[in-house]
Amino acid sequence: MATIYHDADADLATLAGSRIAVIGYGNQGRSQALNLRDSGLDVIVGNRPDSSHDQARSDGFEVMPVAEACGRADLVMLLVPDEVMPEIYREQVAPSLEAGNTLCFASGYNVAFGLIEPPEDVDVILVAPRMIGVGVRDRYLDGGGFPSFVGVHRDATGKALARMLALARGMGSTRAGCIEMSMHDEASLDLFTEQAFGPAFGRVMISAVELLVEAGYPPEAVLLELYLSGEFAYSLEKIREVGMTRQMDFHSRTSQYGSVTRGARFMDLGPAIQDKMRKVLDEIRSGQFAEEWSNQQEKASEIFDKVRAARDQMPMTKWEQNAREAFHFGDAVGAGPED
Ligand code: NDP
């Protein structure tokens, strides 16, 4: 059984008299800064001068350049995007760190794969919410909390665990529960979800859509049946609530009989899917993926432009657009920032 921490394990008083610098005021930065401040902690914000900076100021924080915030803090929370974090760390964070400070990450990625190597005399901890930024704030305000992966990567002061738990409590995460994990495991699980589970799931969805359209069903009806109506999302929510096996009880007897008898025919796909997933996992765990991605940074925009152009040519994109217009779901559904 993994170690799981709750409110009773954490003491906010551990951070009394400590100043926390939240570096980056984006999805996680804003929510975490607001939660920590509402929990009575002393929070300042470091961000470059732009709209995030203005937002932090209008939320009532003292905002300053990253290096200055790090220099004035005892505990630094790095909440900038993972791909720019090593450079920001090297140039603006590391020079200000002092012995006994704490560095907190919301993702284990950079430490796990050696892209950031904090000094020996600094506590290095992980509080990685399993929740998008807006949920971190909403769940704090409604009292529900949200789960996180947490861990002590380096305990230089003997206080790293207590500090980590106090931070997680201040954010509202120990209310739901925090599971102990190494930076490497946290990063690997996260990447596996993105690179294997998500794409495999997506392939099943696209295969079903293509097959049914080829069989003559109208694309709008197919998409509605499979996921656009929201019924599938609702079933996933039930899986979350009662579990994968017991959610069956919410379906009709015809549905249950059909899925059990016909579902068995897909069993042999399991090992084949796992073979592919295992290869992805191996690349993640060995650091091969992180190295590849670091080497692709200069070409990243070019790669994403090509992916978006290809995506726009996919029949699915047109079918989804038509269906959304037909059912008045509105443009907001699924529209990304670049759309
Ligand atoms: P965002 O992209 O939302 O926020 C980035 C922040 O960093 C913004 O304030 C942005 O300011 C600033 N920033 C971006 N680029 C630079 C730069 N080159 N120099 C200086 N500042 C910069 O990040 P997230 O909140 O999504 O992610 C932060 C951390 O949280 C990451 O480690 C991520 O893995 C982790 N995490 C994220 C989750 C999520 O739901 N998003 C969930 C769990 C963990 P500006 O306005 O200047 O761009």
Side-chain angles (χ1 to χ4, degrees):
M1 177 78 184
T3 303
I4 300 177
Y5 298 105
H6 292 99
D7 277 354
D9 303 304
D11 184 3
L12 272 175
T14 304
L15 296 178
S18 298
R19 178 172 292 136
I20 300 167
V22 169
I23 305 303
Y25 202 70
N27 288 310
Q28 288 293 329
R30 179 167 191 244
S31 294
Q32 294 191 21
L34 290 168
N35 292 2
L36 292 169
R37 184 177 66 184
D38 287 353
S39 294
L41 299 171
D42 178 9
V43 181
I44 56 176
V45 172
N47 208 92
R48 57 186 179 185
D50 63 2
S51 56
S52 305
H53 180 283
D54 297 345
Q55 178 70 58
R57 184 152 285 167
S58 76
D59 286 339
F61 287 104
E62 201 181 341
V63 196
M64 60 206 77
V66 170
E68 187 184 336
C70 294
R72 286 178 52 185
D74 308 291
L75 202 151
V76 174
M77 307 191 54
L78 282 174
L79 295 170
V80 294
D82 292 320
E83 63 272 22
V84 297
M85 197 182 285
E87 192 184 332
I88 293 176
Y89 172 79
R90 206 169 41 247
E91 293 173 1
Q92 301 172 63
V93 178
S96 309
L97 288 177
E98 290 175 7
N101 284 171
T102 304
L103 259 185
C104 179
F105 293 82
S107 149
Y109 186 88
N110 282 304
V111 173
F113 298 115
L115 302 168
I116 292 180
E117 292 180 14
E120 296 287 332
D121 54 5
V122 162
D123 286 347
V124 183
I125 59 176
L126 174 76
V127 180
R130 261 33 212 171
M131 184 58 64
I132 58 169
V134 67
V136 165
R137 183 62 180 158
D138 289 348
R139 295 278 181 92
Y140 178 89
L141 291 174
D142 72 19
F146 53 90
S148 292
F149 287 160
V150 297
V152 171
H153 179 75
R154 181 177 304 125
D155 184 8
T157 64
K159 297 178 190 152
L161 178 65
R163 287 172 173 176
M164 179 206 80
L165 289 170
L167 258 192
R169 179 164 184 172
M171 266 181 230
S173 192
T174 43
R175 266 182 237 164
C178 293
I179 182 162
E180 194 164 64
M181 183 145 292
S182 71
M183 295 255 189
H184 198 278
D185 285 355
E186 185 275 339
S188 299
L189 285 180
D190 192 38
L191 294 174
F192 180 84
T193 308
E194 294 165 2
Q195 297 178 21
F197 180 68
F201 210 75
R203 185 26 62 193
V204 169
M205 288 170 79
I206 292 173
S207 297
V209 171
E210 288 175 349
L211 177 120
L212 290 171
V213 171
E214 199 184 298
Y217 297 96
E220 293 82 358
V222 169
L223 296 177
L224 195 73
E225 173 65 30
L226 293 180
Y227 58 90
L228 269 192
S229 70
E231 187 184 3
F232 181 54
Y234 197 78
S235 292
L236 283 178
E237 187 57 27
K238 286 291 161 205
I239 288 175
R240 191 183 76 83
E241 281 172 23
V242 303
M244 186 89 181
T245 49
R246 297 182 70 192
Q247 64 85 33
M248 246 182 95
D249 300 345
F250 295 116
H251 299 277
S252 69
R253 288 166 65 81
T254 308
S255 162
Q256 291 184 40
Y257 175 78
S259 78
V260 167
T261 54
R262 271 54 184 174
R265 295 179 192 171
F266 295 89
M267 294 279 273
D268 63 339
L269 292 181
I273 292 172
Q274 282 175 344
D275 278 350
K276 289 198 186 299
M277 287 180 161
R278 197 169 292 111
K279 180 152 189 334
V280 171
L281 184 61
D282 288 346
E283 288 176 6
I284 292 169
R285 287 161 80 154
S286 68
Q288 189 185 330
F289 169 77
E291 192 183 342
E292 178 185 322
W293 179 220
S294 292
N295 292 334
Q296 293 285 353
Q297 286 304 310
E298 282 178 17
K299 287 196 220 144
S301 300
E302 197 187 315
I303 294 168
F304 290 128
D305 285 348
K306 277 193 192 147
V307 169
R308 287 199 181 98
R311 176 193 68 182
D312 292 347
Q313 297 307 314
M314 283 175 71
M316 279 279 291
T317 304
K318 192 74 199 154
W319 297 336
E320 286 183 318
Q321 194 181 330
N322 290 345
R324 223 178 272 129
E325 282 164 14
F327 293 105
H328 305 294
F329 287 147
D331 288 340
V333 179
E338 269 85 26
D339 288 330

